[in-house]
Amino acid sequence: MQDVLTIGGRELTSRLFLGTGKFAANKLIPEVVKAAGVQVVTVALRRVDPEYEEENIAAYVPRDCILMPNTSGARNAQEAVRIARLARAAGCGNWVKIEVITDNRYLLPDNYETIKATEILAAEGFVVLPYMSPDLMVAKKLVEAGAAAVMPLGAPIGSNRGLKTKELVRILIEEIPLPVIVDAGLGRPSEAAEAMEMGAAAVLVNTAIATARDPIAMARAFGLAVEAGRQAYLAGLGETTVYARASSPLTGFLRD
């Protein structure tokens, strides 16, 4: 049986989502998507401009991918809602990643404004994927608000610091009846694999791929890591113990 992730009625076989904010050249994006087998690509609406195709980042996203505009730049729910509506009016579809950020130092999301925006946009038929600080009570409210998935951060955006929120993400995976997609901070393929081994539904990566010496090779590495982590989760990881356990009997040898 094929292992698929279903969000908003769409079936996905790739569990690596791609961010596009930091590539040195837009022309790299199609090759990165192909190398990693990515099916969902997020773009900032302010970089979508159909009148200037060379600078229009949406033009570089392969047509068979799901284009997921994000509300980057929004400082409150009202601005996020406005950006999402503009994206849909511009032909970007009805998937939207909610980003509401007022903290300029760590770029942490405003969970409460995110809940407000999610509630409004879900009621308008958007497939809403909110970016959030991992908090169980907030995640429950996002479920009630109609989110299609939740996207907790692993570490601050662009930091490449890894899965620093591991225990909080684990709680969300255990308690939330929606796909949990780890977003932001993953810097190494091994960290993506770790998130998948925990049971995350998917991960979203941008900086670690876009700023690698060879972004295409790094995208391939992340794709393989996500697949390996998912397979390990499905196979069931062995339990850990404090003391050693012999892998073969300790009797019946070394007799005089």
Side-chain angles (χ1 to χ4, degrees):
M1 181 183 294
Q2 193 173 32
D3 177 39
V4 298
L5 169 61
T6 302
I7 297 177
R10 298 287 297 270
E11 291 189 344
L12 306 170
T13 54
S14 171
R15 293 170 181 270
L16 174 61
F17 293 11
L18 181 70
T20 54
K22 291 191 176 178
F23 285 97
N26 290 339
K27 64 182 181 182
L28 283 170
I29 293 173
E31 295 180 79
V32 165
V33 167
K34 182 179 179 182
V38 168
Q39 293 175 288
V40 178
V41 180
T42 185
V43 300
L45 179 63
R46 58 176 179 256
R47 300 186 65 198
V48 176
D49 187 348
E51 294 185 5
Y52 298 95
E53 186 163 337
E54 191 170 331
E55 297 299 324
N56 178 19
I57 195 166
Y60 295 87
V61 178
R63 293 186 180 279
D64 58 350
C65 287
I66 295 173
L67 184 64
M68 181 168 65
N70 64 57
T71 63
S72 172
R75 294 159 296 179
N76 54 48
Q78 187 178 19
E79 291 179 357
V81 168
R82 181 169 179 269
I83 293 170
R85 289 170 177 166
L86 287 171
R88 185 157 68 177
C92 294
N94 67 340
W95 281 50
V96 63
K97 175 187 166 186
I98 300 296
E99 286 187 26
V100 180
I101 295 174
T102 54
D103 163 48
N104 291 329
R105 184 175 179 84
Y106 292 102
L107 301 179
L108 297 176
D110 185 325
N111 279 345
Y112 299 100
E113 291 295 312
T114 299
I115 294 170
K116 292 179 190 175
T118 298
E119 190 169 32
I120 294 169
L121 293 171
E124 294 181 6
F126 283 88
V127 176
V128 183
L129 289 83
Y131 171 59
M132 60 174 297
S133 291
D135 178 294
L136 179 58
M137 297 306 113
V138 170
K140 288 184 174 181
K141 290 186 182 299
L142 288 169
V143 174
E144 294 171 0
V150 295
M151 304 183 75
L153 60 89
I157 290 174
S159 67
N160 283 349
R161 294 183 61 200
L163 196 54
K164 298 300 181 186
T165 59
K166 179 177 178 179
E167 284 306 308
L168 295 174
V169 170
R170 184 191 62 76
I171 292 171
L172 298 191
I173 292 170
E174 185 177 304
E175 297 293 330
I176 297 300
L178 289 178
V180 174
I181 302 167
V182 177
D183 183 7
L186 299 182
R188 298 168 182 263
S190 57
E191 293 158 357
E194 182 180 19
M196 298 305 297
E197 289 170 356
M198 290 167 54
V203 301
L204 190 151
V205 180
N206 180 191
T207 302
I209 294 175
T211 63
R213 184 173 60 250
D214 184 341
I216 297 169
M218 186 60 79
R220 189 177 299 114
F222 265 97
L224 291 171
V226 168
E227 185 176 341
R230 177 64 181 175
Q231 290 301 317
Y233 170 74
L234 293 176
L237 298 171
E239 64 176 310
T240 59
T241 68
V242 174
Y243 300 107
R245 290 179 180 174
S247 56
S248 58
L250 294 177
T251 58
F253 65 106
L254 295 180
R255 295 177 179 171
D256 293 329

